[in-house]
Amino acid sequence: MRTDIWSEFLLIVKQEAGSRVVDTWFKAVSLRKWDAATNTVYLQAPNEFVKDWIQSKYMLLMQTHLGRLLHVSMPRIMFTEILDGADAHATVVTVQPSEQSPISVVPAVSQAKSSHELIKRAHTFSGHVNHAYTFDTFVVGPNNSLAYAAAHAVTERPGMIYNPLFIYGGSGLGKTHLLHAIGNEIKATNKDATILYQTADRFVNEFISAIRFDKIHKFQQKYKAIDVLLIDDIQFISNKDQTQEAFFHIFNALYDAHKQIVFSSDTVPNNIKGLAERLRSRLAWGLVTDIYVPPLETKIAILKKKAESMNGSISDEVAYFIASQVDSNIRDLEGALIRVVAFSSLTNQAVTLELAQKVLASTHKPQSMSVDVDRVLKCVAKFYAYDKEQLTSKNRNKDLSFARQVAMFLMKKMTDKSLRDIGVVFGGRDHSTVMHAVSKIEDMMRGDDMLGQTLKKMEEDIRV
Ligand code: ADP
Ligand code: MG
């Protein structure tokens, strides 16, 4: 597989940060190598200045998008030796998906000392576990507290409590993060533990190439020697009968030896199609726990933490705004934050609410989706048989308050108004009141399917 990942990446940077950034900084950089075994991307910059600038400003951007293009999460980004001379661009990018390949770092210019250093550094990263994903950087909220607690328990007594641990949930909600966090935590307390993080996809490929090259025995030996096996997105093993068969034996061997196994998936074992029954039942042998969409407060906490890790901080107001723009997915939430921060640093402006609104206006909540606040107010009022004026009044009658909270919730969901704007609609209420209403309705919906359906119906009415 030879792909020009870098030019695809440049297109994304152009969209995210503008063509000026691409022309000034990224065009002069080339991708020298992608080492799947260490999850490391090696770049080459034309000079120290460009390298430092990119490193300090665009690390997260590179990790996020190169990771996406390479189908890995948060790769490490390293720069090879600076090349002086014209052939800085004359590089063919080779993508090596084979995770079995021994770490073979080939810096563009092999000056003995620095390449040794590179190799040494690459080796400190083992078992595909990404150091950036730790428990420390994971924000715990009601949506993930069970999965978090279970993951943590597993690190205290690997193989003994929940085995296997099965974490499921929608895309971008932190499953992969938790798997890596388990790996990192166990590694920190037990240096000698053999830990392997592997996506089911890569497991399948590895298995196929083991068959092709007659290395099945070696393949099995490798897996059976593992102390902690973290398999991400296990659903991708569906309909791969032979791989399932091989995995079944590996599972049994590890399980019998009290080795910890952790899975993530987009759904419960019972819903994974094309899975052999005996494997399916084993997936559910231990603890099955889910992660669901975070409530607003958790989204805000995540944003603030991410901003800090990007060496900046954002005000509550900006965090509320970004959180209210992204509905369901933490990956998208991060993407929105990155766009805002990238734009602010590019244009040398502070991260204000206005700036965030401007940056996100074009990308989130497409026009067709966004409706008018008055329309929401009217429909909710009609549904609960109140006047619009009653809804926006200060009257705290219990039923009326509930209807008001529903209206706030739907406004947040369906319009592009900020919490503050919505507060204004309701007679100048504070943004925190609106936030409280939104999370309350979210909470209630989780325990009450009827309410969910009612709100869905109301949404349809509002859109008509
Ligand atoms: P999934 O594997 O469920 O699709 P990921 O684990 O890849 O999702 O998470 C997507 C992004 O969101 C990652 O960058 C991850 O660090 C971040 N993320 C998810 N949940 C949290 C959380 N609770 N706290 C901090 N970051 C989170
Ligand atoms: Mg994942």
Side-chain angles (χ1 to χ4, degrees):
M1 183 173 60
R2 262 166 200 257
T3 322
D4 203 353
I5 297 274
W6 190 248
S7 39
E8 264 185 72
F9 172 71
L10 293 186
L11 281 178
I12 295 174
V13 180
K14 193 168 155 190
Q15 279 162 13
E16 299 248 321
S19 46
R20 230 176 77 206
V21 178
V22 175
D23 292 341
T24 316
W25 304 110
F26 283 99
K27 274 242 174 93
V29 174
S30 58
L31 196 163
R32 305 300 299 205
K33 187 179 158 65
W34 152 237
D35 187 344
T38 57
N39 195 23
T40 306
V41 174
Y42 293 92
L43 302 179
Q44 184 164 51
N47 55 49
E48 287 289 338
F49 181 68
V50 170
K51 173 184 140 190
D52 290 346
W53 182 273
I54 287 182
Q55 265 179 337
S56 67
K57 299 254 178 192
Y58 300 111
M59 207 45 158
L60 198 54
L61 187 86
M62 291 192 290
Q63 288 183 307
T64 307
H65 295 294
L66 284 173
R68 209 170 281 177
L69 292 168
L70 292 163
H71 302 290
V72 297
S73 50
M74 302 303 266
R76 281 210 311 177
I77 309 284
M78 287 176 50
F79 281 83
T80 59
E81 205 59 18
I82 301 294
L83 234 197
D84 50 15
D87 70 73
H89 304 284
T91 318
V92 179
V93 176
T94 313
V95 175
Q96 303 182 328
S98 159
E99 50 287 309
Q100 278 171 298
S101 62
I103 298 166
S104 58
V105 177
V106 192
V109 180
S110 19
Q111 289 175 354
K113 201 168 140 213
S114 63
S115 62
H116 271 130
E117 224 167 66
L118 273 178
I119 289 166
K120 223 168 75 199
R121 275 204 274 170
H123 268 295
T124 62
F125 191 84
S126 60
H128 305 164
V129 176
N130 183 340
H131 293 324
Y133 289 153
T134 60
F135 286 123
D136 282 346
T137 56
F138 191 82
V139 174
V140 184
N143 60 311
N144 58 29
S145 56
L146 259 165
Y148 173 86
H152 214 279
V154 152
T155 65
E156 275 156 24
R157 301 184 62 207
M160 304 309 275
I161 325 174
Y162 304 129
N163 208 16
L165 172 62
F166 189 100
I167 302 173
Y168 72 94
S171 167
L173 295 180
K175 303 180 298 293
T176 297
H177 190 136
L178 275 184
L179 258 54
H180 284 288
I182 292 172
N184 281 315
E185 184 76 17
I186 295 179
K187 196 75 193 173
T189 44
N190 180 0
K191 264 195 347 297
D192 300 329
T194 309
I195 299 170
L196 183 68
Y197 165 90
Q198 192 72 298
T199 64
D201 234 6
R202 287 203 309 227
F203 181 85
V204 172
N205 287 336
E206 200 183 348
F207 174 71
I208 292 170
S209 89
I211 292 185
R212 178 150 13 113
F213 298 109
D214 230 4
K215 297 229 167 91
I216 270 298
H217 184 67
K218 213 173 138 213
F219 171 80
Q220 272 165 349
Q221 290 298 101
K222 168 183 161 180
Y223 276 89
K224 288 179 180 170
I226 286 167
D227 297 312
V228 179
L229 179 59
L230 310 161
I231 300 279
D232 209 354
D233 291 318
I234 185 70
Q235 74 272 12
F236 290 132
I237 205 174
S238 75
N239 295 321
K240 309 273 188 327
D241 297 347
Q242 249 188 312
T243 312
Q244 286 183 25
E245 167 92 24
F247 185 71
F248 178 77
H249 293 295
I250 290 168
F251 180 99
N252 289 342
L254 293 179
Y255 184 87
D256 290 343
H258 298 289
K259 302 300 175 65
Q260 180 68 47
I261 309 162
V262 184
F263 298 105
S264 87
S265 165
D266 61 351
T267 182
V268 288
N270 261 335
N271 284 345
I272 304 177
K273 302 214 167 58
L275 201 59
E277 204 42 52
R278 54 183 191 168
L279 185 54
R280 180 193 310 281
S281 75
R282 274 165 179 74
L283 294 184
W285 262 0
L287 181 75
V288 176
T289 178
D290 70 334
I291 301 188
Y292 52 86
V293 176
L296 194 60
E297 288 97 331
T298 309
K299 286 200 249 177
I300 289 166
I302 291 171
L303 282 170
K304 300 203 86 169
K305 189 146 195 165
K306 294 278 170 201
E308 272 164 33
S309 77
M310 291 160 76
N311 292 325
S313 66
I314 52 174
S315 67
D316 285 356
E317 196 179 49
V318 170
Y320 288 142
F321 175 71
I322 298 176
S324 67
Q325 291 300 294
V326 179
D327 265 348
S328 53
N329 180 320
I330 298 170
R331 190 175 292 124
D332 292 349
L333 197 64
E334 260 178 25
L337 175 68
I338 292 169
R339 263 197 294 282
V340 171
V341 172
F343 187 84
S344 96
S345 81
L346 179 67
T347 56
N348 243 326
Q349 300 177 60
V351 181
T352 58
L353 180 61
E354 289 67 34
L355 180 123
Q357 283 170 333
K358 193 167 123 200
V359 174
L360 298 183
S362 52
T363 39
H364 289 273
K365 306 243 167 165
Q367 295 281 296
S368 61
M369 251 195 66
S370 180
V371 297
D372 181 41
V373 282
D374 202 55
R375 171 96 196 134
V376 178
L377 209 54
K378 218 162 94 189
C379 288
V380 175
K382 187 167 156 225
F383 188 89
Y384 289 107
Y386 289 114
D387 296 336
K388 280 198 305 187
E389 290 67 32
Q390 286 175 299
L391 274 189
T392 57
S393 74
K394 300 270 183 228
N395 186 331
R396 294 197 189 191
N397 167 291
K398 198 163 158 244
D399 291 342
L400 179 57
S401 296
F402 175 73
R404 187 178 293 131
Q405 286 171 335
V406 165
M408 289 177 177
F409 168 82
L410 288 174
M411 256 178 224
K412 186 239 135 195
K413 180 158 185 212
M414 303 183 69
T415 75
D416 51 11
K417 291 288 180 265
S418 69
L419 293 167
R420 209 211 286 167
D421 295 339
I422 295 173
V424 170
V425 174
F426 292 88
R429 285 176 160 86
D430 192 68
H431 66 70
S432 61
T433 308
V434 182
M435 188 173 82
H436 173 75
V438 170
S439 6
K440 187 180 149 192
I441 300 294
E442 279 176 350
D443 275 352
M444 286 176 74
M445 275 201 315
R446 264 196 290 286
D448 180 357
D449 283 348
M450 274 295 285
L451 179 63
Q453 284 171 25
T454 309
L455 293 188
K456 216 177 196 140
K457 175 82 185 50
M458 258 193 253
E459 256 183 68
E460 283 163 16
D461 288 348
I462 292 170
R463 277 187 216 288
V464 172

